[in-house]
Amino acid sequence: MRCLLPIPVWLLLAFGALSASQAMAQTQLSTTNSKARNLWEKAQSQAKGRDFNKAIETLDLLNQKFPSLGEPYVLKGSLLKAMGENKPAFEAYRDGLAKMSFNPARSNDYYTLGELAMSFGEYQVAADSYKKYLKTASKAQRSTVRAQRQLENCTFALSAMAKPVGITPVRLGGPLNTFYYQYFPALTADNQFLIFTAKASPDDSADENIMVARQNKDGSMGTPASISPIINSPYNEGAGSISGDGKTLVFTSCNRPNSLGSCDLYISRRTGNTWSNPQNLGRNVNSVEWDSQPTLSADGRTLYFTSTRRGGKGQEDIYVTTLQADGTWSPARNLGAPVNTSGKDMAPFIHASGTTLYYVTDGLVGMGGLDVYRCEMQPNKNWSDPQNLGYPLNTFENEASLFITSDNRRGFCSRSRASEPGVKAERDRPVELFGFEVPPEVRARETSTYTQGRVYDAQTKKPIQADVQLYDLGTDELTQYVTSDPENGDYTVVLNEGRQYAMYAAADKYLMKSLSFDYTDKRTFDPLTLDIYLEPMRAGRSIVLNNLFFDTKQYTLKPKSRTELNRLIQFMQQYKDVQVEISGHTDDVGADADNIVLSQNRARSVYDYLVSHGVAAARLRYKGYGETKPLTANDSDAHRQQNRRIEFRIL
């Protein structure tokens, strides 16, 4: 069926509604020259016959002979846009409209130029075009609201580009970036393993897989390989997120036989070097819609992800779920405002510190597409207003995922390669991994480091599986909870700068280990290697309680001691037949008799707390030993500090 409308009008009607007067204006040529009009009519006839290439050749000839005419450029732009040739279409619209005086009948041309200019980051051209459009457009037109938002984006973008934040990300070298697509980079807390999603070609027959590269001794990354044949399958697997210790992987897989929706989230856990069979995270997490783009907290117990399920604020929203004590995940909760908007809110990344969330959205003023924003967790557990990361991390293109290492030094992202001949569709452009030094404005609120090592049986020296828990002494909050590997005993725990922590390692029928980390006033914040030896729970075995605090020469327990005290109560509740002695010890400063009294009173303070919180007094005794049982020589402040202690001994 042939089109009954003159082709220029038909094309413009495809881009937006035109009034009758506007439609008439598009067919007129601003000259009476007969040669020009003959070429103009010829081009229109060719376009009407859908021979766009011939029409463009005629218009080029018209432009050469009559370069002052703007209409041929605009018609050429409309034809090129219909053909998917957006870059030359933009240039034609820009050049053509610049040759013509302002005309309300050109309203839709101004809008089209604005949209094309935005897609190539030509913000000043876009701003000028949107302003002209808004002068003429009806407020009832749907595109008016978009034009107003895009004008705000132009203002923001021009300001951001005038004040860059950091340097432009640099493409990562070989052996990375050897696939057609690679995206969603993520690293373990120690930066030893990089995982990402890879696809060999843009063909629909090529599936997505999760790849892993190990860091070499010189800091470079080794050759990527499939993470595991247990995880990668003939189905699509991608957008993986790995816990800080590298033992928990959550990823997206689509159209599996046991899926609930088009794409679901799956979990796999690593023991030794073997990954478990992936398990669907179930109906508390997945929906009948699209669920993807997961990001795990450092300890693998909090999961953020993107979903298109009903009930959200926009097209895609970000949700959160947490691992319960019984091993199930809580019903996923929409993060709500201010994180989620009426637009697309996607690709969340929670920093290892757990206090800064990054994600992409087009629902806020930015550079015009999907931009990366950051927001911080407040004391009330709500998120702060998102802040745009600025230019050049954000550009006129849609940004994808972002990852920042635990130490806040290095960032990773993925970007589309520039358009190449024969590659028209954005989805067909190669996607590659990039890296950058993280500027201060982009860093997570808190920098993290880690302690890692192995947990052993103190007698047999064999690795054992143990729960390793980290508490913030300032808030008495459990901030990390990991399990050491049952085969090799290794563990990794993430710690944040500026915090004081109590760490406990515990296994069934072993005495727990109490460790203390104080980063509130520390000049160095380097990773620690710390092997932990747990004593089997037998009579005569004891542990030092490293997180009980007293003022000098005082025996009143300081408030931050409550974490350790409550952990002792849990121990006594777990092992109801155990009886213990609470032993107080001092250094050699002061009179011997005074030290005996001080150590006795400090031990009594611990005893009183436990009894007042339900531990039977018959199961406890306390004694002060003063300076009579030092752990080391009292020849330095550090050694004296070791000797000032409370011990917990099995009777």
Side-chain angles (χ1 to χ4, degrees):
M1 180 178 176
R2 297 183 67 182
C3 180
L4 300 180
L5 290 171
I7 207 70
V9 182
W10 168 75
L11 283 169
L12 289 164
L13 282 174
F15 305 146
L18 291 176
S19 67
S21 61
Q22 288 173 325
M24 289 295 293
Q26 307 309 323
T27 64
Q28 297 173 359
L29 192 65
S30 57
T31 182
T32 58
N33 185 286
S34 59
K35 290 183 179 180
R37 298 187 70 84
N38 287 338
L39 288 172
W40 175 247
E41 290 171 3
K42 180 181 178 181
Q44 286 188 317
S45 177
Q46 290 167 331
K48 184 177 179 181
R50 305 185 69 81
D51 194 344
F52 290 0
N53 288 323
K54 285 292 186 181
I56 290 172
E57 288 179 7
T58 303
L59 291 169
D60 284 339
L61 180 60
L62 181 55
N63 290 335
Q64 291 173 14
K65 293 182 176 297
F66 302 93
S68 63
L69 295 177
E71 292 85 356
Y73 287 91
V74 175
L75 177 54
K76 176 183 173 182
S78 67
L79 296 174
L80 289 167
K81 188 173 187 300
M83 296 165 66
E85 301 283 355
N86 284 348
K87 187 60 181 290
F90 157 68
E91 293 168 350
Y93 269 102
R94 178 197 61 197
D95 296 344
L97 290 174
K99 295 175 183 294
M100 296 185 284
S101 58
F102 175 74
N103 183 353
R106 292 281 176 190
S107 177
N108 282 71
D109 290 333
Y110 299 138
Y111 181 80
T112 300
L113 177 55
E115 293 290 276
L116 288 169
M118 285 295 289
S119 69
F120 295 106
E122 297 285 350
Y123 292 110
Q124 191 58 61
V125 175
D128 294 341
S129 301
Y130 286 128
K131 289 176 183 177
K132 290 178 181 178
Y133 170 76
L134 291 170
K135 284 182 180 179
T136 62
S138 167
K139 293 183 179 179
Q141 286 184 247
R142 186 169 53 184
S143 53
T144 300
V145 175
R146 176 173 172 79
Q148 290 171 336
R149 167 53 70 90
Q150 291 286 62
L151 188 55
E152 293 178 26
N153 289 334
C154 289
T155 302
F156 174 88
L158 290 168
S159 175
M161 293 177 71
K163 299 177 181 178
V165 178
I167 60 175
T168 302
V170 177
R171 179 185 180 276
L172 300 181
L176 301 176
N177 285 321
T178 56
F179 299 90
Y180 196 89
Y181 297 123
Q182 39 263 304
Y183 38 86
F184 283 105
L187 287 90
T188 51
D190 59 7
N191 299 332
Q192 290 298 304
F193 294 93
L194 166 70
I195 68 168
F196 60 92
T197 306
K199 188 177 179 182
S201 78
D203 297 338
D204 291 337
S205 59
D207 71 328
E208 294 173 301
N209 288 305
I210 298 175
M211 311 300 290
V212 60
R214 182 167 189 165
Q215 188 179 68
N216 298 318
K217 290 182 178 180
D218 62 1
S220 64
M221 280 294 171
T223 302
S226 169
I227 192 168
S228 169
I230 294 174
I231 293 170
N232 290 325
S233 75
Y235 302 100
N236 285 325
E237 291 86 23
S241 178
I242 197 164
S243 57
D245 60 5
K247 297 180 184 298
T248 302
L249 176 75
V250 173
F251 64 95
T252 309
S253 190
C254 301
N255 302 315
R256 289 197 178 206
N258 63 344
S259 63
L260 302 177
S262 60
C263 293
D264 282 4
L265 298 175
Y266 291 78
I267 191 168
S268 178
R269 301 186 188 279
R270 180 174 61 83
T271 302
N273 293 319
T274 303
W275 289 98
S276 65
N277 287 321
Q279 299 295 316
N280 189 296
L281 282 177
R283 296 184 182 278
N284 275 1
V285 178
N286 291 312
S287 69
V288 297
E289 302 296 333
W290 178 82
D291 301 290
S292 185
Q293 301 175 344
T295 178
L296 278 167
S297 62
D299 64 358
R301 292 176 175 269
T302 302
L303 172 67
Y304 301 83
F305 64 97
T306 310
S307 179
T308 58
R309 67 190 63 191
R310 294 181 180 179
K313 293 180 65 65
Q315 301 172 62
E316 290 90 1
D317 273 9
I318 297 172
Y319 290 76
V320 63
T321 177
T322 54
L323 187 62
Q324 309 294 307
D326 62 1
T328 63
W329 292 85
S330 65
R333 174 178 60 84
N334 188 297
L335 282 191
V339 174
N340 288 321
T341 70
S342 59
K344 296 180 178 181
D345 308 301
M346 307 173 67
F349 159 62
I350 186 70
H351 186 257
S353 63
T355 59
T356 305
L357 179 72
Y358 301 81
Y359 70 108
V360 302
T361 181
D362 62 2
L364 299 169
V365 174
M367 304 287 285
L370 289 167
D371 277 12
V372 188
Y373 293 77
R374 68 184 293 280
C375 46
E376 300 177 355
M377 183 172 283
Q378 305 299 296
N380 61 5
K381 302 303 181 183
N382 292 329
W383 293 101
S384 66
D385 290 336
Q387 300 297 314
N388 191 292
L389 296 191
Y391 176 83
L393 281 180
N394 289 318
T395 67
F396 65 90
E397 302 218 56
N398 287 324
E399 306 306 326
S401 60
L402 180 80
F403 186 94
I404 293 176
T405 55
S406 57
D407 60 12
N408 261 333
R409 295 177 182 175
R410 189 77 174 150
F412 297 86
C413 62
S414 56
R415 290 190 162 180
S416 296
R417 195 188 301 167
S419 296
E420 297 178 348
V423 180
K424 296 180 181 178
E426 183 177 350
R427 66 180 296 273
D428 290 337
R429 292 164 56 190
V431 178
E432 298 173 318
L433 299 177
F434 285 70
F436 60 95
E437 296 299 319
V438 183
E441 300 90 337
V442 173
R443 293 173 189 163
R445 184 180 71 199
E446 295 179 338
T447 295
S448 301
T449 190
Y450 58 89
T451 179
Q452 62 183 191
R454 300 178 189 271
V455 183
Y456 297 100
D457 181 305
Q459 301 303 310
T460 67
K461 304 302 188 288
K462 292 182 178 180
I464 57 175
Q465 183 176 9
D467 292 333
V468 182
Q469 297 178 324
L470 190 72
Y471 286 83
D472 185 328
L473 289 175
T475 62
D476 191 27
E477 180 182 7
L478 177 64
T479 61
Q480 291 268 300
Y481 185 175
V482 302
T483 303
S484 63
D485 192 288
E487 290 188 10
N488 55 39
D490 70 341
Y491 75 94
T492 300
V493 171
V494 173
L495 308 97
N496 292 348
E497 194 171 21
R499 306 284 189 96
Q500 186 174 9
Y501 292 103
M503 191 171 86
Y504 302 100
D508 189 33
K509 298 181 181 179
Y510 285 86
L511 272 173
M512 71 176 186
K513 189 79 169 182
S514 166
L515 300 160
S516 185
F517 302 93
D518 189 352
Y519 292 112
T520 54
D521 186 23
K522 200 172 184 66
R523 293 183 180 180
T524 60
F525 191 56
D526 297 324
L528 298 173
T529 299
L530 181 64
D531 291 339
I532 299 173
Y533 294 85
L534 297 185
E535 291 282 356
M537 196 162 53
R538 299 173 187 166
R541 304 293 186 189
S542 65
I543 59 171
V544 175
L545 301 174
N546 287 304
N547 295 289
L548 297 178
F549 304 96
F550 305 90
D551 285 325
T552 303
K553 297 183 180 180
Q554 301 298 313
Y555 57 84
T556 300
L557 286 158
K558 300 179 76 170
K560 62 183 178 181
S561 303
R562 65 187 184 277
T563 299
E564 189 104 312
L565 295 166
N566 292 337
R567 194 66 183 78
L568 294 176
I569 293 170
Q570 292 176 25
F571 178 87
M572 298 299 289
Q573 291 173 341
Q574 181 179 0
Y575 301 103
K576 297 185 181 298
D577 296 330
V578 168
Q579 297 184 5
V580 301
E581 177 187 88
I582 302 164
S583 310
H585 303 269
T586 68
D587 56 24
D588 65 348
V589 177
D592 293 357
D594 291 341
N595 285 335
I596 289 289
V597 172
L598 179 61
S599 62
Q600 179 87 355
N601 286 337
R602 286 182 171 178
R604 174 63 185 262
S605 294
V606 177
Y607 169 90
D608 288 343
Y609 186 95
L610 299 182
V611 171
S612 67
H613 286 78
V615 179
R619 299 175 60 193
L620 302 170
R621 76 182 190 193
Y622 63 92
K623 185 174 181 180
Y625 292 90
E627 60 190 80
T628 62
K629 293 187 176 184
L631 290 177
T632 185
N634 286 293
D635 54 6
S636 68
D637 289 342
H639 285 170
R640 289 190 182 92
Q641 185 175 358
Q642 290 182 48
N643 291 330
R644 299 190 298 269
R645 69 195 187 279
I646 299 291
E647 289 189 1
F648 195 73
R649 183 168 67 89
I650 304 296
L651 297 174

